Amino acid sequence: MFSNEPKKEQPTEQISENTENVDAFRWRYAEQRAFEKNETNKQRKHGMLAAILVMVSSFAVCFLLLCGVLIWNGKGDTDSLESVADAVDRVNPSTVLVSATGIASQGYGTGFFVRADGYIVTNYHVIEQATTVRVKLYSGETHQATVVGYSVFDDLAVLKIAGNHYPAVQIGDSSRVRVGETVIAIGNPGGTEGAWTTTRGIVSALDRKIVINEHDETYEMTMLQTDAPVNTGNSGGPLCNARGEVIGIVTRKLTGYESLGFALPINGSMEIVHAIITHGHANDVDSSITRIRPTLGIQCYDVVKGEEYTLDGKSFIAAADGVWVAGVVEDSGADGVLEIGDIIVAIDGTTVSDTEALKNALFEYRAGDQIELTVIREGREKKLSVTLKKS
């Protein structure tokens, strides 16, 4: 079972081969560090490349977005000359020259078709006291017009000509108009000499309140303000946006000022126009454009508590801040209720400190409304009921 033969030595070549295999899998610190350094360098290169790619991609995306915005704004830019020209092309055929002849007068204004069956809108003051009204179309045709109806204090009138298939304007939404928006006025300044004149500007202000004393009344109109040049003959013409939508009706300008024109907002105007076309009048429409101010029927002055005043040779010291009654108009709402020397300090509980506040407060009421006045009479506070009347 046991052999006494000496063990044979392994060949030298085999020993050498095994040594190389073992050495190939041996861990060496220097080699590991070299490997790690190489990998780190690779990662840095890859990271830098990725960062560069991200930066380039981000720049490209931002550039494309910017281009898109510029292109979009270019298409919808209300200041674009091309869009303004397109709007004028759309609105011009719908605009007419209104010629109003009275017994001893001849005037011109502007109007525009609101319906294809010949209904035209203009300002009341354009056809006021006219016995004959004619309109000239953009095509050159001239027609006799009938006055369907009007609203004096809203300064609106509706005309009608025979025929059909007229180019009615596209009505916009004046409640969405913004200050700074481009607007275009088309009208006939000077009548036939300046027919179909286009001017361009912006909306300067919204809900501008103008107090007017005309037709034996004091009333307040809420209008759009524009710096688009308007002149006599523009009255009743369309004020449109750059899309060719009518958002206002040019009605007046303030003399003595540069570029202060006013237009009736189209939303409120169309309520009145629709009523006139349907009923021949707009008496039942609660106008959003015009408020007529009723009156108390007094002469008055502002007074400040503690200060001394003189009237008709008599001196007195004001007992409160407010409106001092210096006179009462016969047959007015105040007649028999207020007395000279009363100081009005409130209307329906709202403080009134001066005549301007009193006038503004009265715009919230209508003729026939009953209000409660708080007055100081002979140093004592009193509550008085007054029925308002027309101015």
Side-chain angles (χ1 to χ4, degrees):
M1 295 180 61
F2 298 96
S3 172
N4 292 327
E5 294 182 359
K7 294 181 179 180
K8 295 182 179 178
E9 294 183 2
Q10 296 295 326
T12 303
E13 293 78 9
Q14 184 65 40
I15 293 174
S16 174
E17 183 180 345
N18 290 342
T19 301
E20 289 177 1
N21 289 339
V22 171
D23 188 58
F25 294 97
R26 182 174 296 167
W27 179 85
R28 291 185 178 87
Y29 177 78
E31 293 176 356
Q32 179 66 25
R33 291 293 294 165
F35 174 79
E36 291 175 351
K37 185 176 181 180
N38 185 53
E39 290 298 312
T40 300
N41 290 336
K42 287 181 180 180
Q43 291 176 4
R44 285 178 179 172
K45 289 179 180 179
H46 292 158
M48 290 179 64
L49 182 59
I52 291 172
L53 289 174
V54 169
M55 290 177 63
V56 171
S57 300
S58 299
F59 177 79
V61 170
C62 292
F63 179 76
L64 290 173
L65 287 174
L66 178 61
C67 290
V69 169
L70 291 174
I71 292 171
W72 177 263
N73 286 341
K75 288 182 178 179
D77 183 11
T78 56
D79 288 331
S80 167
L81 293 176
E82 185 177 355
S83 65
V84 170
D86 290 341
V88 174
D89 285 344
R90 283 192 288 271
V91 180
N92 257 343
S94 305
T95 308
V96 303
L97 169 65
V98 180
S99 174
T101 305
I103 295 174
S105 64
Q106 173 72 53
Y108 294 96
T110 308
F112 56 91
F113 287 105
V114 289
R115 286 185 17 177
D117 53 351
Y119 284 96
I120 297 168
V121 171
T122 188
N123 284 147
Y124 167 72
H125 76 258
V126 170
I127 54 93
E128 185 179 6
Q129 298 180 346
T131 55
T132 302
V133 179
R134 299 184 69 82
V135 296
K136 183 178 181 180
L137 309 189
Y138 187 64
S139 63
E141 299 176 23
T142 301
H143 294 261
Q144 183 89 16
T146 302
V147 178
V148 178
Y150 50 80
S151 174
V152 175
F153 298 110
D154 294 300
D155 200 13
L156 284 168
V158 177
L159 312 177
K160 176 75 166 64
I161 64 173
N164 213 323
H165 306 298
Y166 294 108
V169 297
Q170 183 174 353
I171 301 297
D173 184 353
S174 54
S175 69
R176 300 181 64 183
V177 174
R178 299 181 300 164
V179 173
E181 181 176 343
T182 293
V183 287
I184 305 151
I186 299 176
N188 306 298
T192 55
E193 295 179 358
W196 284 275
T197 291
T198 298
T199 55
R200 175 173 174 247
I202 62 168
V203 175
S204 305
L206 304 174
D207 301 325
R208 186 67 84 197
K209 299 187 185 305
I210 307 296
V211 177
I212 300 168
N213 293 287
E214 289 178 350
H215 312 294
D216 298 322
E217 295 281 4
T218 299
Y219 52 101
E220 180 187 74
M221 300 187 77
T222 302
M223 294 188 280
L224 300 174
Q225 181 181 318
T226 178
D227 69 349
V230 294
N231 296 282
T232 302
N234 273 102
S235 295
L239 184 73
C240 58
N241 58 27
R243 294 183 295 277
E245 300 167 339
V246 176
I247 49 91
I249 302 172
V250 175
T251 186
R252 64 180 62 228
K253 64 179 292 186
L254 287 187
T255 57
Y257 297 87
E258 289 294 329
S259 300
L260 278 182
F262 298 92
L264 307 174
I266 198 63
N267 290 18
S269 298
M270 288 307 296
E271 292 179 0
I272 295 163
V273 168
H274 178 72
I276 293 173
I277 291 175
T278 305
H279 306 293
H281 62 82
N283 299 338
D284 300 326
V285 177
D286 187 10
S287 174
S288 61
I289 298 173
T290 304
R291 292 190 299 176
I292 301 174
R293 186 177 72 202
T295 63
L296 282 174
I298 61 173
Q299 292 90 42
C300 55
Y301 300 96
D302 296 345
V303 292
V304 178
K305 183 178 180 180
E307 292 193 4
E308 185 176 357
Y309 299 88
T310 301
L311 182 69
D312 294 334
K314 297 180 180 180
S315 297
F316 69 95
I317 296 176
D321 295 339
V323 178
W324 189 74
V325 179
V328 178
V329 178
E330 188 177 355
D331 293 328
S332 68
D335 190 18
V337 181
L338 293 175
E339 297 179 2
I340 295 175
D342 287 346
I343 300 177
I344 302 171
V345 295
I347 295 180
D348 284 339
T350 300
T351 300
V352 172
S353 58
D354 53 33
T355 53
E356 191 64 27
L358 175 63
K359 291 176 181 178
N360 290 336
L362 289 174
F363 273 123
E364 301 300 324
Y365 301 92
R366 295 179 178 275
D369 288 349
Q370 193 172 66
I371 61 173
E372 182 185 74
L373 295 179
T374 303
V375 304
I376 305 298
R377 179 180 294 174
E378 298 178 350
R380 300 179 63 181
E381 184 178 291
K382 295 180 70 69
K383 306 286 188 182
L384 303 173
S385 180
V386 175
T387 299
L388 300 173
K389 294 187 176 182
K390 283 188 176 183
S391 57

